[in-house]
Amino acid sequence: MAKSALLKSSLAKKYWMALTGLFLCLFLIGHLLGNLQLLSTGENAALHFNQYALFMTTNPAIKVLSYLTYISILFHAIDGILLAIQNQKARPVKYVMNKPEKNTIWASRNMAVLGTIILIFIVTHMVSFWARMHFDKNMPLQTVMINAGGMPQEFYLTTDGGYLPKAQVLQGAAVIKNRTEFYDATANVKIKEGYKDLYKITVAFFKDAKLGLVYTILYAISMIVLGFHLYHGFGSAFQSLGVNNPKYNGFIKNFGKAFAIIVPLLFAIIPIYIHFFIK
Ligand code: HEM
């Protein structure tokens, strides 16, 4: 490829990486705000988190945002890898040897490696939670123990704010269809709908007797990696988009650095809190 064409395609890639990267930063804020509910200790903590999860998986506008997120992750990752290969090929060996650490900070020289680790994190993370929420036929439904007539009984919590005795399902009076719907077994009509217990599987994941601590440590390390990636990426995205105004440059740089520290730190606190403090 001619040098100018190479430069052009590399600029286009940077532009799209910047746009998708900034969109993913917005996703991170939304995802963080939702997940911070896992720090709640109230007696309805599980119900509130499961209500939030139901909203996030069924609301049409959120669904559109979710698809945009998946596309952005793929686009950002593929473009990033192509750009790294292109830069590697185009760069004269001498330049690499020319004490790059003097010119660029560590994170900026390792964006592709940091990004690849984050991609591995996202894929394994989605297998652990998102895939279970969307595809697992054995995803548990939320239940609660209530003292009924002096006897503790297990009830399904239902989306109309009511309860359905688990015994009804066990005895065949009600059946579960489409994973969350309760049907009257004789009349074959839908009577109520339950909540997928995302709270339960998230807490169980980080509190797992064998691997909970390992997962918690791996999550915390991944958040450090995310922090470094954002530390360079945030400011760099604005440069790639051509935002270069002395009035705002300082603010963007500082905001990016604060974002890169605060957001991953708050994310990391969640598994640490679940593992060590939730009973
Ligand atoms: C460390 C704390 C985190 C926890 C406890 C957590 C928890 C979850 C849970 C429970 C889900 C399933 C929700 C659903 O499918 O409705 C989910 C989905 C997801 N998570 Fe996380 N997450 C964390 C951090 C992150 C980070 C740092 C990223 C990105 C770098 C990320 C990316 C995603 C993506 C892309 C999805 C799929 C979202 C969608 O379907 O719209 N998560 N997460």
Side-chain angles (χ1 to χ4, degrees):
M1 205 190 289
K3 212 173 173 185
S4 65
L6 193 74
L7 195 68
K8 226 172 147 185
S9 90
S10 146
L11 283 179
K13 282 197 184 73
K14 280 194 166 188
Y15 190 86
W16 281 107
M17 285 202 67
L19 277 185
T20 49
L22 290 176
F23 176 74
L24 290 170
C25 285
L26 287 180
F27 160 78
L28 280 181
I29 296 176
H31 195 42
L32 177 63
L33 292 178
N35 286 343
L36 282 174
Q37 293 180 83
L38 290 163
L39 301 181
S40 159
T41 49
E43 64 170 319
N44 287 324
L47 177 61
H48 290 155
F49 187 70
N50 290 336
Q51 282 173 332
Y52 154 78
L54 178 66
F55 174 76
M56 296 303 278
T57 42
T58 49
N59 181 282
I62 304 283
K63 271 191 179 172
V64 173
L65 284 180
S66 285
Y67 289 123
L68 269 180
T69 306
Y70 311 146
I71 292 168
S72 295
I73 292 171
L74 284 178
F75 215 94
H76 192 84
I78 293 170
D79 243 8
I81 291 166
L82 292 178
L83 201 63
I85 295 171
Q86 200 167 309
N87 284 347
Q88 203 71 40
K89 278 189 186 158
R91 194 178 286 160
V93 178
K94 257 191 183 165
Y95 172 78
V96 179
M97 303 305 288
N98 194 16
K99 290 208 172 74
E101 64 276 11
K102 276 210 162 161
N103 309 320
T104 50
I105 63 161
W106 182 84
S108 80
R109 282 180 287 115
N110 292 285
M111 287 303 273
V113 177
L114 295 168
T116 306
I117 298 172
I118 296 165
L119 185 62
I120 295 170
F121 163 79
I122 293 177
V123 172
T124 52
H125 172 58
M126 285 181 75
V127 169
S128 308
F129 299 114
W130 174 87
R132 289 202 66 187
M133 184 71 182
H134 288 257
F135 309 116
D136 185 357
K137 291 205 169 66
N138 299 317
M139 179 81 186
L141 296 180
Q142 191 184 350
T143 62
V144 63
M145 295 300 286
I146 299 177
N147 252 333
M151 282 277 288
Q153 257 199 66
E154 195 171 8
F155 287 82
Y156 288 106
L157 288 183
T158 56
T159 52
D160 58 0
Y163 304 91
L164 185 94
K166 198 171 180 179
Q168 272 192 31
V169 174
L170 294 176
Q171 289 155 8
V175 284
I176 300 175
K177 292 190 180 178
N178 304 320
R179 297 198 284 150
T180 55
E181 294 170 1
F182 299 107
Y183 271 66
D184 181 295
T186 35
N188 199 24
V189 286
K190 186 175 156 185
I191 41 176
K192 282 180 189 293
E193 182 142 9
Y195 289 104
K196 288 182 187 172
D197 204 346
L198 187 62
Y199 180 88
K200 184 177 181 175
I201 65 158
T202 307
V203 170
F205 181 82
F206 293 114
K207 284 202 76 69
D208 186 272
K210 275 192 191 149
L211 290 171
L213 183 62
V214 175
Y215 293 147
T216 303
I217 293 170
L218 286 178
Y219 264 67
I221 293 172
S222 302
M223 292 310 102
I224 295 172
V225 174
L226 178 65
F228 276 110
H229 192 76
L230 292 172
Y231 198 81
H232 174 72
F234 197 96
S236 165
F238 283 92
Q239 278 185 8
S240 300
L241 292 176
V243 179
N244 190 5
N245 184 330
K247 238 178 160 180
Y248 307 117
N249 285 352
F251 173 77
I252 292 172
K253 219 173 159 183
N254 291 333
F255 184 86
K257 285 181 180 172
F259 186 90
I261 295 169
I262 295 168
V263 170
L265 182 68
L266 290 175
F267 265 121
I269 286 173
I270 298 168
I272 293 172
Y273 173 80
I274 294 176
H275 182 79
F276 291 105
F277 299 106
I278 286 194
K279 292 258 162 55

